[in-house]
Amino acid sequence: MTNKWWCLAVACLATLLLSLDLTVLHLALPRLTADLGASSTQLLWIGDVYGFALAGLLVTMGNLGDRIGRKRLLLIGAAAFGAASALTAYAPSPELLIAARALLGVAGATIMPSTLSIVRNVFTEPGERTAAVGIWSGMSAAGFAVGPVVGGLLLDHFWWGSVFLMNVPIMLLILVGGALVLPESRNPAAGPLDLISAALSMAGVIAVVYAIKEAGHQGLGHGNVLVAGAGGVALLGLFAWRQTRLPEPLIDVRLFARRAFSASIVTNLLAIFAMSAMLLMFAWYLQLVLGWSPLQAGLAQLPGGLSGAVGGVLAAGLIRRIGRAGVVALGLAMNAGAFLYYTTLGLELTYLTLLPAMVIGGVGIGFAFTVNNDNVLATAPRERAGAAAAVSETAFELGAALGIAILGTVLTSAYRANLELPAGVAGAAGESIAGAAHAAATLPAEQAGALMRAAREAFLAGLHMTSLVAAVLLAAVAVLALVGLRGVPKEIPEEVLTARA
């Protein structure tokens, strides 16, 4: 194995860790809510603050890595992530947990663009680069799969904080491995970081993400949603305008004129929009509807994520057969079919009937994300790899926020519309199935059983509606990929990729 493959191993390990951290939170939420007594508002912030900090800082951190060195930034971020994980694990109150999760988001923002930009700079031959991005994407998918299993094992034997404490030894491996094998790379001609642009991007993205999430909870017409949304869009518009007037912008907006770049960004955003809410909804479905333990729920989702890893590895070879547009469209169509099947799920489940849809959907998302990520990296100059990776990751975070807010609203609305509460039960039970489970724990057995039966049926109706919306959207995005990526070469020489638009 050559040194660059060891570099890829370190980058993949860091990516694996971030994926693990995202998925284990979904499993830990029911236990965490009970142990800390978090309110519904605090629960939202525990889930959201990580994304706020992460999305707001990605562009700045990607550019910082281009300037001070991607290896240096990755190692700093790894150390900070390990420390913040320990703080999160032992947080004694919801308020301190929210603060620790914010620190995790800041640290995560240094790691995400660094891993992809290191891959871009180490693998310069187009075929090898696509294969490396496929492996990187596969490890990300594997993290989503393994996270629930590891989290389930820990939650079956330890307290909820153990799912965050497991980050510490992995981060130590990254620090040691990264220091030994990663080469340092940076933009040799980069000027100083434009702090005004950094502030505009951070404030604009955070405001937009906040508006999206609050719109899902309060509705579009709420005052703070309108103010945050309008303000965020205005700040991002000012940021884009400023980039056209700087000799060394944080983002070269001319990249968006390249069809492979812009179509890949949009396609990824819309695909993760459709898929993001389903990760959380499946965690609730398996645990609170079917009554499975966290470990059982984690094992059940394992094949889907591992199939995503397989799809990522296979994508490079498939490009040579049907082209980049064909691979992305095929992957999204496979996901649309899987989501369509999820509309048939019931209150009881024969797992073997669910397995084919999970595998097909997992392979499909591995196809789509691998090719789109490779398109984004390939289109940007090597010296701006951190900035390009940050744009891709920011779109991913915005898509996830949109998906959870909008599809989460679809789920909540359908849940409320279909819920028939037993006499004498109200309050949080009418807001979500998690609230119903919490309320049921305080009721007599007969009343608790009636409440949970009603809540499970209402949640299932919401799951069916949300799955149908996601299936239709993914089918539409598959068509968009065929059109937007039409004519993008299967393999593009380095000198063509980095030519100025």
Side-chain angles (χ1 to χ4, degrees), residues 254-270:
R254 290 174 296 180
L255 287 173
F256 287 94
R258 302 179 184 181
R259 192 154 46 86
F261 184 90
S262 56
S264 296
I265 292 290
V266 172
T267 303
N268 260 2
L269 186 151
L270 293 175

Side-chain angles (χ1 to χ4, degrees), residues 134-147:
I135 295 170
W136 179 91
S137 298
M139 288 301 293
S140 179
F144 280 102
V146 174

Side-chain angles (χ1 to χ4, degrees), residues 82-238:
S85 295
L87 290 175
T88 304
Y90 291 105
S93 67
E95 293 82 6
L96 290 176
L97 179 58
I98 291 169
R101 289 283 295 168
L103 291 176
L104 274 175
V106 174
T110 69
I111 296 172
M112 291 179 79
S114 297
T115 58
L116 261 181
S117 57
I118 286 170
V119 171
R120 173 70 175 89
N121 277 271
V122 169
F123 292 89
T124 57
E125 192 276 322
E128 278 194 344
R129 186 202 61 245
T130 303
V133 172
I135 295 170
W136 179 91
S137 298
M139 288 301 293
S140 179
F144 280 102
V146 174
V149 176
V150 175
L153 281 169
L154 292 172
L155 289 170
D156 274 0
H157 295 89
F158 305 102
W159 92 114
W160 60 264
S162 62
V163 301
F164 299 106
L165 201 60
M166 71 175 182
N167 295 341
V168 177
I170 301 176
M171 274 304 173
L172 290 175
L173 283 176
I174 295 170
L175 285 170
V176 174
L180 291 176
V181 306
L182 290 179
E184 187 57 279
S185 63
R186 59 173 61 88
N187 182 357
L193 187 69
D194 183 53
L195 296 180
I196 295 177
S197 293
L200 287 172
S201 70
M202 181 172 63
V205 170
I206 289 176
V208 168
V209 172
Y210 173 82
I212 291 168
K213 289 180 178 289
E214 286 301 301
H217 305 316
Q218 303 181 31
L220 285 172
H222 206 273
N224 63 333
V225 172
L226 295 174
V227 171
V233 170
L235 289 171
L236 291 178
L238 185 59

Side-chain angles (χ1 to χ4, degrees), residues 392-444:
S392 179
E393 298 291 355
T394 301
F396 188 95
E397 291 299 319
L398 287 173
L402 277 167
I404 292 175
I406 296 175
L407 294 182
T409 300
V410 173
L411 175 69
T412 302
S413 299
Y415 174 85
R416 291 172 180 169
N418 288 275
L419 181 64
E420 297 181 4
L421 288 173
V425 178
E431 296 298 318
S432 68
I433 190 172
H438 186 69
T442 66
L443 298 174

Side-chain angles (χ1 to χ4, degrees), residues 15 22 31 85 89 93 154 230-231 237 289 292 318 362 371 415:
T15 301
L22 287 171
R31 187 83 57 83
S85 295
S93 67
L154 292 172
V289 174
W292 294 3
L318 196 58
V371 177
Y415 174 85

